[in-house]
Every structure is written in structure tokens, then in C-alpha cells.
Amino acid sequence: MPLKKENILIVDDDVHILELLHRHLQSWNYHTYKAVSVKEAVTILRDTPIDLLITDLKMPEVDGFELVKFVSEHYPKLPKLIVTGYPSVQDSLEAIKSGVVAYLTKPFTKEELKTAMDDALKKAAISQKKTTQEKEKKYFYGDMIGSSEKINEIFQIIDRVKNNKATVSIRGESGTGKELVARAIHYEGKFAKGPYIAVNCGAIPENLLESELFGYIKGAFTGADSNRNGFFQAANGGTIFLDEIGNASLNVQSKLLRALQEKEVVKVGAQKAEKIDVRIIAATNNNLKEMIQKGTFREDLFYRLTVVEIEVPPLRERKEDISMLVEKFLFKYGVEYKDRFVKISPKALAILQRYNWPGNIRELENIIQRAVIMCDRIVEVEHLPDSLKYNVDFSEERLISLKDMEKRHIQYVLNATNNNKTKAAKILQIDRKTLREKLKE
């Protein structure tokens, strides 16, 4: 007797696609339910145990995205596979947050459908085996994504501070996503309707930073032909994000201290202070404590800014998040450049996970963007920069002999070239005979 197969619900207003999917699923011995509208689908879901939902997005009256959200709320364990001919970046990112585990872009082959279904059911099975503690973890927060312990700690801190106006200091290397943390604090909390103003203090000349932050009055300096508000006034009632705060001069720092202590600012050239209601989030990749020792940063301002401190880890310390970040960028740029969902081969992903990412998430995003442009449907090893493909990282390795390292690098190049000895020899700049001899050693 054949093993029991899963119940699959197919939803599409195109009856031809509906029948095509039905025939394919029947040939694999799945039990299928068909619906031409979201209303029909909801009726079936309420009366029938379903193991996988396959739905189109663009449908009349109520679209498939509303169905995805309904299922996420009422049947959170049910895996969802989207089949669409009109992919968009926003829909893709929102669908990820709603728990969609696989995608197909029309037209698709029978083999592509089977792979996507297997992927969706496999991910659902893995998800159901997670512990209660793991289920409580968040994997998305605003535009942030990750499942590592370090990123989950940041999510928990954001939960604590998002609904109050405590000053927050964010530290981290360039490219780690410090502004994403600031945006999550603002937009995920109860003050999200207020303005969010981001200011890169390092990009504004020192002599202009004060007037840009606090505004000026007519005649305050040459060229001040009228009164003008600054970034603080623009952020009133909301949040101001001061990136690269370490670049602010001591004079600007004293005015920032007043803004924090007295909740007021003074325009350049003015005598009267203006009351403000602004949450300040500051970020830097500098060591402010060292700057305090050198006398270039005020100690009293430092303690005012660091009521709550968030340390954003470099990507090399949260490598378990790389696959999720890669998937996010593949959706984003696949839809933008190819009008389809792009995937990545296991070998290419393995190379990305081995690399140490000195440029952090910004570098990863740039490389995925380039790879999507260079590929068709799947990012392969050949679409990655040579600096990644032939990179050898010694940072976390024990000290080994030069001969062992040579063997390791030869094997690495062979793996990257699918064991093509001619191509590997060319990359290693040796002939095939020498390569054979080295493999025998």
C-alpha cells in the first residue's frame, strides 16, 4: 500500500494553471484541493486539514497576499508556496515575513514545481521539530533579519526600548546595519507616526554641522538670508538618528548635551531656546572612550548618550545569518533586475559562508547584487568575485605546515572547479602533471 501523501490546496484564478498544477500533483500521488478564489480557499481551510498551500498572488477581489496573511495568523504551521507571474520586491519581502517558504515564477517546469514543493515541505518539517525556546525567537525585525543568538539579543533590546524615548547608543563596524537598528527602534514602536530624521555627522563639514542640526536665524552668518530650522526641529515629536557622532566638534557636542539635558536647542545666531521633544539615537564605529581619553569627546555627553547601548556584531561573528541575508538579497535584486526569484547553488553559498566579510552586510549585499545581474536563474560559483572564490582564511585555523596548506588550497580550487583538473591547474598556474603529483603526495 502506498504511503499517505499530503493534502495540498491550490489557489489560482487561472483555471488552466489550476488544472496544470492539479495534474502534476496527482502524478506524484498527492491529494489536491482546488480553489479559484481566496473565499473558496478559506472555506476549504476551515473544513479540511491541509499540509501545503500553493497560491497565486494576483487575483481579483481579494488577492493571494491577503490569503497568505490570513493563513499566517490562523494556521501558522502551514507551509506556503507562492506561484506568481508578477513578482515585486515589496510583496516578496512581506511574504517572507509572513512565513512563505518557497516561490515559483510563471512559467515553470514540472521539475521546478517538485523542487519547490519538496523544499516547502522539508522546511515545514524542520520548523515543527524546533524547541519551544527556538519558536519564541524572532527572525525579522523591521528590515533586520537573522536567527543567530547575537542578533536575537538585539531584537530583545529593541523590544525593551522601542516604546520609550530613552537615548540609545549603537556601536558597530561600518556596514553592520547600525541604521537598520535605529529604524527598527523608531518604526516598530508606538512613536512610529512621528518623523524619523537620519543625519550622517561625518558627511557634513564641521563648520556647517551646528547650523544643519539646530538651524539658524537670518543674518547669523554670511549667506543666512532667512530663518531656517535644523534637523532637530524637523525631528520634533519623533526620532533623530545621529550617525558617526564621533565626528561632531566639541562645540556641537556641548549643544547636543543641552538638547539632552534641557530638551531644548538654540539656533545659530539666536538668543532664545526652543523646546523640543526628540528621541536621540547615536551611532559610531569609533571608540568613544578612547576619544574621551584624548579630550576629543565629552565624557558627560557620552554617559547621556549611552543610557542604552547596543553592540551590532560584524558579519563574521554571526555567519549563521548569512543564508537568510543571502535569500533576502536574492529576492530583492532578482525581482528588481530579472522579474523573477533567483536562487543560489549550495557551492556558491558555502563560499559566502566561509568568507570573513570585512565590509560586513553592505559588502554581502553588493556581491549578491552583482551576482544576480551576472546569472540567469541560479547564482553559481562562477558568478562570485575571484577574491571570494580563491580566498584562504587563516584567522580561525590552527597553525599547519606549508605542505598541508598547499594541499588544502589545491583541494579547495578543485572543489570550486567541479574537479576540473585542467581548469584547476590553470588557476594554480601549474601543469596537469605537477597537479597529479601534488595530489599523490
Side-chain angles (χ1 to χ4, degrees), residues 257-420:
L257 184 62
R258 178 171 182 167
L260 282 163
Q261 288 178 326
E262 309 298 333
K263 305 296 182 184
E264 62 183 27
V265 296
V266 179
K267 288 181 178 178
V268 176
Q271 301 297 320
K272 186 179 178 182
E274 300 176 39
K275 285 292 182 181
I276 54 165
D277 177 23
V278 175
R279 182 225 300 268
I280 296 178
I281 301 177
T284 182
N285 56 16
N286 296 324
N287 188 322
L288 295 184
K289 290 185 177 179
E290 288 183 1
M291 294 180 67
I292 291 170
Q293 295 296 322
K294 295 175 182 177
T296 57
F297 200 86
R298 294 183 59 129
E299 187 173 18
D300 48 3
L301 176 61
F302 171 80
Y303 288 113
R304 284 284 183 175
L305 288 173
T306 54
V307 174
V308 177
E309 292 184 89
I310 298 177
E311 183 79 32
V312 184
L315 189 54
R316 63 182 173 273
E317 293 180 8
R318 45 177 291 213
K319 285 191 173 182
E320 55 266 57
D321 293 335
I322 287 177
S323 60
M324 295 182 74
L325 289 163
V326 167
E327 189 172 356
K328 173 183 175 180
F329 297 141
L330 286 174
F331 281 126
K332 177 180 178 181
Y333 293 111
V335 171
E336 182 176 343
Y337 295 129
K338 304 289 186 178
D339 291 328
R340 70 173 74 99
F341 301 116
V342 175
K343 296 185 178 181
I344 187 167
S345 72
K347 287 185 178 179
L349 180 59
I351 288 173
L352 297 179
Q353 290 172 323
R354 281 198 297 266
Y355 186 57
N356 254 2
W357 301 106
N360 292 299
I361 297 173
R362 186 181 295 126
E363 182 184 9
L364 174 63
E365 181 173 3
N366 290 342
I367 283 174
I368 295 299
Q369 183 178 7
R370 174 189 179 276
V372 168
I373 293 171
M374 301 304 294
C375 78
D376 290 324
R377 285 180 175 270
I378 300 178
V379 173
E380 301 284 2
V381 172
E382 64 198 61
H383 302 125
L384 300 178
D386 288 349
S387 59
L388 267 70
K389 288 187 284 188
Y390 311 130
N391 175 66
V392 180
D393 177 27
F394 299 89
S395 60
E396 299 178 2
E397 295 290 336
R398 61 183 177 84
L399 298 177
I400 60 176
S401 70
L402 185 61
K403 185 176 180 180
D404 286 342
M405 182 53 68
E406 182 184 63
K407 282 184 178 179
R408 182 178 297 188
H409 184 59
I410 288 172
Q411 191 58 54
Y412 177 77
V413 174
L414 283 168
N415 291 341
T417 57
N418 294 316
N419 213 37
N420 186 321

Side-chain angles (χ1 to χ4, degrees), residues 115-164:
T115 299
M117 285 183 57
D118 290 345
D119 187 37
L121 291 168
K122 181 180 177 182
K123 286 181 179 178
I126 292 172
S127 177
Q128 289 175 8
K129 291 180 181 178
K130 289 182 178 178
T131 63
T132 302
Q133 182 180 6
E134 288 174 325
K135 287 179 181 178
E136 290 175 353
K137 283 186 177 181
K138 288 187 177 182
Y139 299 104
F140 299 90
Y141 215 124
D143 290 328
M144 302 170 65
I145 181 172
S147 60
S148 64
E149 184 177 343
K150 290 190 175 184
I151 204 68
N152 203 253
E153 287 174 2
I154 292 176
F155 293 168
Q156 291 176 28
I157 296 173
I158 294 173
D159 265 337
R160 297 280 186 178
V161 302
K162 66 182 182 180
N163 291 325
N164 59 63

